Amino acid sequence: MSTRPTLLRAGAAAACAVTLVLGGPAPAGASGDRAGIRLERLDRGLVAVPTAEGVFLSWRLLRHEASGSSATGLTGADFHVYRDGRRVATVTDSTNYLDRDATASASYRVAAVVRGREIDRGAAVSP
C-alpha cells in the first residue's frame, strides 16, 4: 500500500495550519483565502516586556511577509526596530529582539523590510 496520499494529506494539513497561524491583514473585503478558510485580521502584535537584561520585544510575522521555511521555522521579512522614533536595530531571521539599552518610558515600533522597502509599521507600544 502506498503512503503517498497520506503524505499529501499531511502536507495539506500542515499548510493550512501555517496559513491559520499567519493571519495577517487580508486584502480589503476578503474574509478568508481561496480555499474558504476564514482568517482573523491580525496586526503586528508587538509586545514589550521589561526583563533584568533590558526590554524584550516580540511580534508576529504576517502571512504576506512569509517567503518560505527553514529547519527552524518560517522565513520572511527582516525588521526595523524603533525606540522613541529612532531606529535601534535591524532584525533578521527572527521576530524578537532584546533592547539592552532600554528605559522604562521607551516607546517601540517595528516595521517589516521586504525587498529593501519598509512596510507594515506597527502601532507603538511601551513596556
Side-chain angles (χ1 to χ4, degrees):
M1 183 165 107
S2 170
T3 60
R4 185 175 173 91
T6 302
L7 291 175
L8 289 176
R9 282 192 300 272
C16 288
V18 168
T19 301
L20 291 172
V21 169
L22 293 177
S31 62
D33 68 3
R34 290 183 201 140
I37 297 171
R38 297 186 69 82
L39 301 175
E40 294 179 274
R41 292 182 190 265
L42 301 175
D43 63 8
R44 177 73 53 216
L46 175 63
V47 294
V49 179
T51 71
E53 292 86 26
V55 173
F56 177 77
L57 304 171
S58 184
W59 59 90
R60 292 184 185 105
L61 174 68
L62 301 178
R63 173 180 61 177
H64 64 277
E65 297 164 353
S67 60
S69 64
S70 70
T72 58
L74 293 172
T75 59
D78 293 338
F79 296 92
H80 288 161
V81 177
Y82 292 87
R83 180 189 343 109
D84 298 326
R86 295 185 61 225
R87 190 166 73 188
V88 295
T90 299
V91 176
T92 61
D93 297 328
S94 183
T95 55
N96 58 62
Y97 175 74
L98 178 62
D99 184 7
R100 296 183 187 279
D101 299 321
T103 64
S105 63
S107 175
Y108 293 93
R109 293 180 82 158
V110 172
V113 180
V114 177
R115 291 188 283 281
R117 295 186 58 199
E118 196 173 281
I119 62 168
D120 297 333
R121 187 180 292 194
V125 301
S126 295

